[in-house]
Amino acid sequence: MSGLFWFQVFVGVNVLIVTLLAVNVSRMRLREQVSLGDGGKPTVRNAVRAHANGVEHVAMFGLLVLALELAAAPGVLLGTLVIAFTVSRLLHPVGMLGTAFQMRRLGAGITFLCEFVGIVALPVVAMTG
């Protein structure tokens, strides 16, 4: 395993998720015949919001995972954070694009929890590593 294993897993899977959300935006725009923005169509608006939310969180959490990897955080911590965050990034858009609001709420909660745990862990790992 390389020294950046969990970061590489994170990037590979989460960039795929964000790319699929981007494809969904294009699909909704084609279906609803909207060239820019959301055209006032709720399905396009929700697709755009789901994609934007993914981009916001994946980019920032990716930097956090990279910082933790570079600080030599334990593999168990990294693996748990990456897997939990990735699951949350699957749950959130499913709830946002469908009718399962609880999945959206659960996805958001797990996302925030992973972010806070990573933020708290970073200085601890950096000082002890």
Side-chain angles (χ1 to χ4, degrees):
M1 249 185 338
S2 81
L4 297 173
F5 174 77
W6 285 111
F7 179 66
Q8 293 166 343
V9 169
F10 173 84
V11 169
V13 177
N14 284 276
V15 169
L16 175 62
I17 293 168
V18 170
T19 301
L20 292 173
L21 289 169
V23 168
N24 186 55
V25 171
S26 295
R27 185 178 70 87
M28 287 293 121
R29 284 185 173 148
L30 284 170
R31 188 177 93 184
E32 299 290 344
Q33 298 180 343
V34 173
S35 63
L36 296 172
D38 64 18
K41 307 282 184 167
T43 55
V44 178
R45 181 193 67 227
N46 290 347
V48 169
R49 289 185 61 216
H51 176 254
N53 185 278
V55 170
E56 292 167 359
H57 287 282
V58 167
M60 292 297 99
F61 196 72
L63 290 174
L64 188 55
V65 171
L66 178 59
L68 285 164
E69 284 268 23
L70 293 173
V76 171
L77 172 65
L78 287 163
T80 301
L81 287 175
V82 166
I83 291 168
F85 182 87
T86 301
V87 168
S88 78
R89 293 291 83 206
L90 292 169
L91 291 173
H92 188 270
V94 167
M96 193 166 200
L97 298 172
T99 58
F101 182 74
Q102 293 302 333
M103 289 180 78
R104 175 181 175 189
R105 182 180 289 172
L106 181 60
I110 295 169
T111 296
F112 295 140
L113 178 63
C114 290
E115 291 169 344
F116 285 123
V117 168
I119 290 165
V120 170
L122 184 57
V124 173
V125 170
M127 289 188 305
T128 59

